[in-house]
């Protein structure tokens, strides 16, 4: 079962859309995290999760075979490939994390993004990253409720 988690690094002062954080992605075959690397692979977490939601939504609605996602201001990378029979492989670097169906993929990302939304609400109401994040999660939620993905 594939899962993801997003977190904000503590001690950055007042919350803002450029806060740094980490991403963890794990499945039945492996796990990858942006945390604990040299050089650091932490990322602008609010912008990175928004980018992940938008890129994955466009990929799933389209016909491309590979999505190579890299967070904002990091080298942390996740690759999603279309494989046979409506399945997807998810990897980070040379590590295969899981092979999943469409529903499992979208639910794993959506669940993590919805859980992380509690942190987003700590951002000032006029922060553009807050508005972009909430719009991206709503758009992604619509994808998971429809059968528009290929």
């Amino acid at each position: 079962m594939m899962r993801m988690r997003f977190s904000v690094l503590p001690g950055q002062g007042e919350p803002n859309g450029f806060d740094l954080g980490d991403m963890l992605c794990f499945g039945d075959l492996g796990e990858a995290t942006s945390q604990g690397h040299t050089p650091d692979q932490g990322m602008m977490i609010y912008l990175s999760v928004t980018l992940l939601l938008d890129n994955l939504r466009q990929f799933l609605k389209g016909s491309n075979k590979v999505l190579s996602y890299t967070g904002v201001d990091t080298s942390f990378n996740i690759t999603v490939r279309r494989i046979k029979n409506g399945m997807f492989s998810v990897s980070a670097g040379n590590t295969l994390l899981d092979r999943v169906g469409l529903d499992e993929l979208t639910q794993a990302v959506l669940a993590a993004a919805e859980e992380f939304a509690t942190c987003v609400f700590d951002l000032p109401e006029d922060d553009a990253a807050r508005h972009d994040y909430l719009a991206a999660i709503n758009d992604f939620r619509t994808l998971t409720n429809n059968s528009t993905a290929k």
Side-chain angles (χ1 to χ4, degrees):
M1 170 184 239
M2 193 178 115
R3 299 190 50 141
M4 297 187 86
R5 287 196 192 121
F6 313 120
S7 61
V8 178
L9 294 174
Q12 297 182 74
E14 291 297 314
N16 72 73
F18 301 113
D19 281 346
L20 300 176
D22 288 297
M23 191 174 286
L24 167 67
C25 184
F26 57 98
D28 291 341
L29 304 173
E31 79 173 44
T33 181
S34 62
Q35 193 172 24
H37 295 275
T38 303
D40 185 36
Q41 291 184 356
M43 61 195 75
M44 292 182 186
I45 193 65
Y46 299 112
L47 303 179
S48 294
V49 177
T50 299
L51 183 64
L52 175 64
L53 292 167
D54 287 343
N55 285 355
L56 186 57
R57 180 177 51 83
Q58 292 171 0
F59 171 71
L60 294 173
K61 289 175 68 174
S63 59
N64 289 342
K65 299 291 183 199
V66 178
L67 167 66
S68 181
Y69 161 82
T70 302
V72 177
D73 199 27
T74 184
S75 60
F76 184 75
N77 179 277
I78 296 173
T79 302
V80 180
R81 286 185 173 80
R82 292 180 197 272
I83 53 179
K84 297 178 186 178
N85 302 322
M87 297 292 288
F88 299 86
S89 69
V90 181
S91 58
N94 294 326
T95 304
L96 178 61
L97 308 177
D98 214 336
R99 291 184 188 96
V100 295
L102 175 63
D103 288 342
E104 186 174 344
L105 176 62
T106 57
Q107 288 305 316
V109 174
L110 182 60
E114 286 177 334
E115 181 179 324
F116 189 64
T118 60
C119 293
V120 172
F121 290 121
D122 289 340
L123 295 176
E125 286 193 31
D126 63 345
D127 194 309
R130 176 183 173 141
H131 294 284
D132 290 348
Y133 186 98
L134 295 174
I137 202 169
N138 283 331
D139 290 346
F140 196 84
R141 195 178 288 126
T142 300
L143 172 72
T144 63
N145 292 334
N146 294 328
S147 59
T148 57
K150 294 182 182 178

